[in-house]
Amino acid sequence: MDNNHWLTQLLMLGVGTTTLVADKLREVSDELVKDGKLNPEQAKEVMDDLLQKLKSEQGNFEGQMQRQLR
């Protein structure tokens, strides 16, 4: 199997994992708002911050994988 195929599979796994984590974070955020523990604006700020960090980490992972395969 060539390296590009493996890289593609790993990147897709990373994207899928990031999506699952983001979905779960949204559920928790919605529940905290529903329970009155966070107001909607706080929840949005927390979600935006966490999603930005996830995207950043995903980018770092992709770069590391490409360097390792080279």
Side-chain angles (χ1 to χ4, degrees):
M1 212 172 268
D2 66 66
N3 287 341
N4 287 334
H5 180 70
W6 279 103
L7 179 59
T8 301
Q9 286 185 337
L10 286 171
L11 293 177
M12 293 305 292
L13 178 63
V15 168
T17 301
T18 300
T19 301
L20 288 173
V21 169
D23 289 346
K24 192 61 176 176
L25 285 172
R26 280 188 192 94
E27 287 176 24
V28 170
S29 175
D30 290 346
E31 194 65 31
L32 289 171
V33 169
K34 180 181 163 188
D35 291 345
K37 294 179 181 175
L38 282 178
N39 68 45
E41 186 58 36
Q42 288 173 318
K44 181 184 179 328
E45 288 178 25
V46 169
M47 282 298 299
D48 289 347
D49 185 46
L50 289 172
L51 290 175
Q52 183 61 36
K53 287 179 182 177
L54 278 173
K55 288 177 186 177
S56 175
E57 289 300 317
Q58 182 180 354
N60 291 339
F61 173 74
E62 290 172 8
Q64 289 174 0
M65 290 306 302
Q66 288 174 353
R67 283 192 297 279
Q68 290 295 324
L69 287 173
R70 280 190 237 129

